[in-house]
Structure formats: structure tokens, C-alpha cells
Amino acid sequence: MDVGFLKPLFDRPGPWACVYLDTSRATEDAPTRRRLRERFVCDQLARQGADAATREALVLRLAGERAARPSAGRALFAAGGEVVLDLPLATSPRDVDTSWSLLPRVAPLTSLRGEWPSCLVARVDRSGADLELLDDAGPRPVGRASGGPPQGRGHRSVPADRYEWHYRNRVENTLDQTADVVADELARRWPESDARLLVLAGDPRERRAVHDRLPEPLRASTVQAQHGSRAAGSSRELLEAEIERAREEYVRTHLEDVLDLFRAARGRPGEPGVGGAHDGSTSGGAAEGMRAVVEAVRSHQAATLLIGQTGSDARREVWVGPGVDQVAVQRAQARALGVASPEPARADDALVRAAAAADTEVLMVPEGMTGPSGGLGAVLRWHG
């Protein structure tokens, strides 16, 4: 998961009030249940030490929810009397969870928010393609690629023995030219889109022609949808279902690929530290355990931070300062980083904060998958 969207939380000092709650249920007693929930959130935060202005800001935000939201849950982050982020969740939290802490409680997002890679979608026909970007903000048009004009017979009868070959040749040339134009436009827009998947929809013949003309690296990130038409008024439901499945498959495959990289780097013969001691080890292109992972993330050496749902390291205490990279295993180490008064924080929250600042990807390793020992690992960007 790209955690860059969390950066607004780290531009201001804490402490932070954080609330995770289920918004998936819509019943007849919803207004009463919402009022009870608001009171519970306020009481819990008061017991934890949150100031009145911040509690009031959260309660007012929750009270503004008058209809069921199209999400499984919400995560709210508030400080200094202001709700800074209000995020939809892909998975419902089990209970209403509140916290009041120096750092915002962001680590649960890695499992509750989900990873839905953005998609560049092209709906193709013989005259060109409509392009849209599908991300957290929903679908939005981003352009159009136009080829040659559609070729047709009109109302004139064409003698097959004289004109059929020429007619078919003109049509084939037009289709080829259109496919070239669409493929070139997609290759041009792909880097600036920040999308992870390219989805080709529309007429089967034309979308296959576009696919065959894409550059090989882009083709590897492309899926062809069986549904979706460029025609006005066509239904999007089947296409959206296909895109959802493609996103799920991308997430699953990407996690497996990253874990394969991690295991291969960790297990290289002759590398130091192989064996996964919880205190930390670095071997080739991987770091494992508290000390090694803190160092890798703090120095911006980690390409991907791995946090396991099982394992105790993520819940351990580290020492932090106001700077996003000021995180250390020991208090004396934090002072050596220039922190005058180090404060304790959960390791997972501190590491996600540093990862967001360094544009480091964060992935949650679910139960049942073999991840780093102790629950913390990293795939490195480089190694000596």
C-alpha cells in the first residue's frame, strides 16, 4: 500500500485522537445507535486524556453522518481541535477503537483500508478510445485517442469481384492505424498516470489490436476486460466487477512477489545475519527484525516495509522525536539523532510514519503467509 496519503498527519504535532469504527450496517435504530456510538467515543477519549476541543471535533464529524456510507468503516484522525483525515475503510473494524497518543495510530490502516491500485481504463472501438483514471476518488475522464474515421459501405452496393479486396484492405489499414494511435497515447500517458494496472475494454478485435501494439513493459501491467463498451448509455456494472477482480489479483500477486524477494534475499548463502533474530539482521537485499528494519526505514533504504499480523515486534516500543525520521530502538540512540526529549511510541506507527515520508511501500502480511520473523521486515532499495 502506498501510504503517501498519510503525509498530512505528520505536518503537525500531536497528540492525536484516532477512531476506527464500522459504518457498514444500516438498520432502523441507526440514529439511536449513532448517538450511543458518539457518546462512547467521547467518553473513551476523555478517559484516555484527549482535550475537549478535539473530542468535540470528532463527535461533530460523526454526528454529521446521516446516511449509511458506501464503505465498510471509517478511520478518523484529529488533533488540536480539528479532524485532519476521515478515511473510508475496505474492511469493517471489529469494534469501535479509540486511541490518544503522541503519534497517530495509523498501522491498522494497512489491513483495514485495503490496497486498491489505481487503474488507467481505455474503452476502445474502431474510431479510437475514451480514457479514464480510476483511483480512490472514483473514475474521472483523462482524455481521448482518435484514429481514422470509421469505414463503412454506406448505402451503395459494391461489386465483390472488383472492390471487395480494396474495401477490406482500407478497413484493415484504418483499424491498424487506430490501434497504433491508441497504443501510442496509452504509452505516453502511462508514466504520468501513476496507475498500476491498464485495463483495455471495448470491442474485442480492436482491444486485442491495441494490446499487441503496447510496449512490452506496459503489456505486462495490462488486463483485457470482456465487458465495457464505448457506446453512450452502456452499463458499467460488469466492467466494474472485472476491474475489481483484476485489482484483487494484482494485490495478491504483488504481495507474493514481494515476499518471494524478501525470502530469497534473507536466505542467500554466505550472507551475514541469516536466521532472523528478532533484534535484527540485514542480508543482501532484506532487513529483518526490529533493529535492522528501523535502520533501513530511517535511512530511506527500504523499498517495502513488511508488517505481519502475527509477531510481537510491531507492538514493541521505540523512541521517537518530532521529525519523521527520528525513530530509534533505544532512548540513547534517539538522543544521538538530535532528539532532545525522546518519547515512546509503538513501533508499527513510528515505522509507517517514516515510510510515508520516504515514499516506502507498506504491506501487511496476513495470517497463514510466511513473513518476517517477529513480524517486521523490509525489502531494500539497494545494498552494499
Side-chain angles (χ1 to χ4, degrees):
M1 182 172 72
D2 178 4
V3 291
F5 65 93
L6 294 174
K7 289 180 180 179
L9 298 180
F10 310 129
D11 292 336
R12 63 176 68 197
W16 287 86
C18 306
V19 181
Y20 288 84
L21 68 162
D22 179 11
T23 59
S24 62
R25 290 169 292 184
T27 61
E28 293 181 358
D29 66 338
T32 300
R33 184 163 45 83
R34 282 199 299 266
R35 285 193 294 271
L36 292 173
R37 186 180 60 191
E38 292 157 17
R39 184 183 304 170
F40 175 80
V41 167
C42 187
D43 290 346
Q44 287 294 106
L45 289 172
R47 292 190 184 99
Q48 293 163 358
D51 62 274
T54 300
R55 298 198 310 268
E56 182 180 358
L58 281 167
V59 170
L60 286 174
R61 179 64 64 91
L62 291 174
E65 179 192 2
R66 290 290 176 254
R69 294 165 63 95
S71 64
R74 295 167 73 183
L76 297 93
F77 303 87
E82 178 184 358
V83 177
V84 180
L85 276 182
D86 182 354
L87 301 172
L89 301 176
T91 302
S92 299
R94 295 178 185 176
D95 301 299
V96 177
D97 184 19
T98 64
S99 63
W100 176 251
S101 53
L102 176 67
L103 298 185
R105 184 80 183 97
V106 292
L109 291 172
T110 57
S111 61
L112 295 176
R113 183 166 168 83
E115 182 186 6
W116 298 113
S118 57
C119 302
L120 183 61
V121 182
R123 290 180 292 120
V124 185
D125 64 15
R126 63 177 55 197
S127 65
D130 292 326
L131 312 181
E132 67 179 28
L133 186 66
L134 179 61
D135 56 17
D136 286 342
R140 61 183 184 276
V142 293
R144 177 175 294 178
S146 298
Q151 297 292 322
R153 296 176 182 267
H155 299 287
R156 183 168 57 89
S157 176
V158 180
D161 60 346
R162 187 171 179 183
Y163 296 110
E164 187 68 24
W165 182 88
H166 295 285
Y167 168 76
R168 289 184 176 178
N169 201 43
R170 287 199 307 273
V171 171
E172 292 292 340
N173 287 341
T174 299
L175 292 177
D176 289 344
Q177 292 168 5
T178 299
D180 287 336
V181 169
V182 174
D184 288 346
E185 183 66 8
L186 289 171
R188 185 182 71 83
R189 289 182 177 271
W190 177 254
E192 66 189 32
S193 72
D194 289 329
R196 303 288 187 88
L197 282 173
L198 171 61
V199 178
L200 296 179
D203 297 342
R205 184 181 181 185
E206 283 74 19
R207 73 165 185 263
R208 286 194 295 268
V210 171
H211 178 271
D212 293 343
R213 287 162 171 78
L214 293 172
E216 181 56 38
L218 179 52
R219 204 182 310 165
S221 300
T222 301
V223 296
Q224 295 191 58
Q226 301 301 312
H227 302 92
S229 171
R230 200 181 180 198
S234 61
S235 173
R236 291 183 55 97
E237 291 182 4
L238 294 175
L239 174 59
E240 289 175 351
E242 284 194 81
I243 292 174
E244 202 73 3
R245 288 193 295 271
R247 285 171 139 181
E248 291 173 355
E249 177 64 18
Y250 172 88
V251 170
R252 183 189 63 79
T253 301
H254 178 59
L255 176 58
E256 291 176 350
D257 289 345
V258 172
L259 286 174
D260 285 343
L261 285 173
F262 174 78
R263 296 177 193 127
R266 179 183 62 178
R268 286 173 184 159
E271 294 283 3
V274 174
H278 286 206
D279 283 344
S281 61
T282 302
S283 57
E288 185 172 34
M290 177 71 79
R291 294 178 185 275
V293 172
V294 166
E295 174 61 28
V297 173
R298 185 178 62 215
S299 62
H300 297 194
Q301 194 180 3
T304 303
L305 170 65
L306 297 169
I307 302 177
Q309 283 190 318
T310 59
S312 60
D313 283 355
R315 298 187 295 274
R316 286 173 58 183
E317 192 175 82
V318 294
W319 295 90
V320 300
V324 292
D325 294 328
Q326 292 177 323
V327 51
V329 176
Q330 296 178 345
R331 190 172 187 177
Q333 292 173 333
R335 287 200 176 109
L337 295 173
V339 183
S341 300
E343 297 283 348
R346 278 183 59 126
D348 51 5
D349 291 329
L351 288 170
V352 171
R353 178 181 73 154
D359 294 322
T360 295
E361 179 184 42
V362 180
L363 295 180
M364 173 65 70
V365 182
E367 289 187 58
M369 296 189 75
T370 303
S373 298
L376 289 179
V379 175
L380 306 184
R381 290 189 169 107
W382 69 89
H383 58 90

